[in-house]
């Protein structure tokens, strides 16, 4: 109360001066308070405050990742051993060394970010400026990259197309050529018709007829083509060619027939009905050049094999007598071995057919009945084939001897007594036994346990044992 009265009694000039002093005192106090305020409440710009906050957080993160606190092992790109209790960053490559038993660790080759993190712990910062490229810049760069790739791809395609054009002709030209070729392209059927017409034409020369038969033989090797030959009468034309006075025509006609008969029952039946068997036997029974007889014998073998009806007709027509005369003629040693091989095939074929019928019942009754009507073994004995076959054993070739030995074995049941009465056969077998014993011994020296000569020696030993 007393103070208030005293202030009011002061003059105005003194009151103004006192107010100025009080204002200066308050300003000084306010400035002192601001200078002693805590840092977190300092008045700073937002940008500087954000930077300091980020640095504070990075410092905290570094303290949390301190290896002395967490014992985190920082791998490099080389294998290093881990101590017990150490941890490794996720994604590191860890292995167990089988020699030392220690665990080893290294960075993956592609782990660049972890490698950078290691550098960050040592005080190095990643210099990344996020303001350098915007998303729009990246999209634009990607579009240009694709455009450049397309341009490059387009260039490569053009170069490749140019190279193809240089190597190959355009498809339009090829189509045009094919259209022109279609005028002359022929099916196998058309070709065979043309060849038969050429062969059967009276205006064709001998060379043209032989060339037509030679080409025709190539086509009739196929079963379907051989049967197509029947559809337009071509087979009969070739059969009639066996009546030609020209040995070459007979030879090549038989060549075609042999190819068409092979394993083709339909053609075999048509050939028998067309008189082919009689014509073939006539050629073999008459004087003809050796090449012609070779081809005719080939056609006869193809007609008789696996065709019991033809075998019956062969025996009825005196086929064994024809073959006997052929074998006994001079200069026909090559044909003799082929004839013996044919007889062996016919004997074993009938035997296997009858055995198969008894064991499996799969052979048709009609075909089995046809085989039983083929009385081949009695005919061979009556026609002297036991002696003829035994004498053929004197041929010098090993392959021919093998075929003769096989035939002797197949005829053993029928010709046993004839063989025993033939002293020449026994001497020949003993001589061959000594020869093949020496050859078989050489095979054993060469390390061949089951050689060719040992098989021949076994066949000879079996025959000698049966004839004693």
């Amino acid at each position: 109360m007393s103070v208030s009265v005293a202030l009011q009694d002061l003059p105005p000039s003194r009151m103004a001066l006192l107010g100025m002093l009080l204002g200066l005192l308050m300003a000084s106090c306010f400035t002192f308070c601001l200078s002693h305020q805590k840092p977190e409440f300092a008045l700073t710009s937002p940008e500087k405050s954000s930077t300091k906050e980020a640095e504070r957080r990075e410092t905290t993160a570094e303290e949390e990742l301190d290896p002395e606190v967490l014992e985190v092992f920082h791998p490099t790109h080389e294998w290093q051993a881990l101590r017990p209790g150490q941890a490794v960053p996720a994604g590191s490559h860890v292995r167990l060394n089988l020699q030392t038993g220690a665990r080893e660790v290294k960075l993956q080759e592609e782990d660049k970010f972890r490698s950078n993190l290691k550098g960050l712990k040592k005080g190095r910062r990643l210099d990344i400026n996020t303001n350098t490229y915007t998303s729009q810049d990246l999209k634009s760069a990607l579009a240009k990259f694709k455009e450049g790739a397309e341009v490059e791809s387009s260039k490569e395609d053009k170069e490749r197309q140019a190279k193809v054009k240089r190597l190959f002709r355009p498809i339009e030209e090829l189509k045009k050529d094919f259209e022109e070729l279609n005028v002359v392209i022929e099916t196998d059927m058309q070709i065979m018709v043309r060849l038969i017409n050429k062969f059967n034409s009276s205006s064709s020369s001998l060379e043209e007829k032989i060339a037509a038969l030679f080409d025709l033989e190539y086509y009739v090797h196929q079963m379907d083509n051989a049967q197509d030959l029947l559809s337009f009468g071509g087979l009969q034309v070739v059969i009639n060619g066996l009546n030609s006075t020209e040995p070459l025509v007979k030879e090549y006609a038989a060549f075609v027939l042999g190819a068409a008969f092979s394993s083709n029952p339909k053609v075999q039946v048509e050939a028998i009905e067309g008189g082919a068997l009689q014509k073939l036997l006539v050629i073999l029974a008459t004087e003809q050049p050796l090449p012609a007889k070779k081809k005719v014998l080939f056609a006869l073998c193809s007609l008789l094999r696996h065709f019991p009806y033809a075998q019956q007709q062969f025996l009825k027509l005196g086929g064994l007598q024809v073959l006997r005369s052929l074998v006994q003629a001079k200069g026909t040693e090559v044909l003799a071995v082929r004839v013996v091989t044919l007889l062996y095939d016919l004997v074993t074929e009938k035997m296997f057919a009858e055995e198969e019928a008894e064991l499996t019942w799969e052979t048709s009754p009609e075909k089995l009945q046809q085989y039983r009507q083929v009385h081949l073994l009695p005919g061979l004995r009556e026609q002297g084939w036991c002696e003829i076959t035994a004498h053929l054993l004197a041929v010098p070739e090993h392959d021919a001897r093998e075929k003769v030995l096989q035939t002797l074995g197949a005829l053993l049941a029928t010709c046993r007594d004839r063989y025993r009465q033939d002293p020449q056969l026994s001497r020949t077998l003993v001589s061959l036994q000594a020869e093949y014993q020496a050859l078989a011994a050489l095979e054993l020296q060469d390390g061949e346990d089951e050689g060719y000569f040992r098989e021949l020696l076994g066949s000879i030993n079996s025959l000698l044992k049966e004839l004693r």
Side-chain angles (χ1 to χ4, degrees), residues 138-150:
L138 294 176
K139 290 180 181 180
S140 177
L142 182 60
K144 291 181 179 179
F145 174 77
K146 291 182 177 179
E147 181 180 355
E150 291 176 357

Side-chain angles (χ1 to χ4, degrees), residues 186-342:
E186 298 175 294
T187 63
D188 288 354
M189 180 74 163
Q190 293 171 333
I191 293 174
M192 290 191 297
V193 170
R194 178 170 55 81
L195 293 175
I196 287 295
N197 291 336
K198 175 67 70 174
F199 169 71
N200 200 34
S201 175
S202 58
S203 61
S204 298
S205 63
L206 177 61
E207 290 77 10
E208 290 175 337
K209 291 185 177 182
I210 299 304
L213 290 174
F214 182 83
D215 293 340
L216 185 61
E217 188 271 341
Y218 168 79
Y219 288 96
V220 298
H221 270 291
Q222 299 183 28
M223 181 178 293
D224 293 341
N225 287 342
Q227 294 180 3
D228 289 339
L229 195 64
L230 306 176
S231 61
F232 61 92
L235 181 68
Q236 190 61 50
V237 173
V238 179
I239 292 175
N240 294 337
L242 296 174
N243 296 328
S244 174
T245 57
E246 292 289 344
L248 281 177
V249 174
K250 294 179 181 179
E251 177 183 347
Y252 282 91
F255 191 36
V256 173
L257 293 174
F261 295 159
S262 298
S263 302
N264 203 329
K266 186 176 181 179
V267 179
Q268 289 176 321
V269 171
E270 293 290 337
I272 287 292
E273 295 178 355
L277 179 59
Q278 295 90 328
K279 292 178 172 59
L280 293 173
L281 291 176
V282 168
I283 295 175
L284 291 176
T286 57
E287 190 70 24
Q288 300 291 339
L290 184 61
K293 288 194 174 184
K294 285 182 179 179
K295 294 295 192 298
V296 170
L297 183 59
F298 162 66
L300 178 65
C301 294
S302 299
L303 181 60
L304 295 181
R305 285 190 175 98
H306 307 290
F307 191 11
Y309 178 75
Q311 296 172 19
Q312 296 176 31
Q313 300 303 312
F314 169 77
L315 295 177
K316 291 180 181 179
L317 294 173
L320 290 178
Q321 295 91 320
V322 173
L323 294 182
R324 182 183 63 184
S325 301
L326 182 65
V327 169
Q328 292 176 341
K330 293 182 179 180
T332 59
E333 290 79 8
V334 176
L335 298 180
V337 176
R338 296 184 183 184
V339 169
V340 168
T341 303
L342 171 63

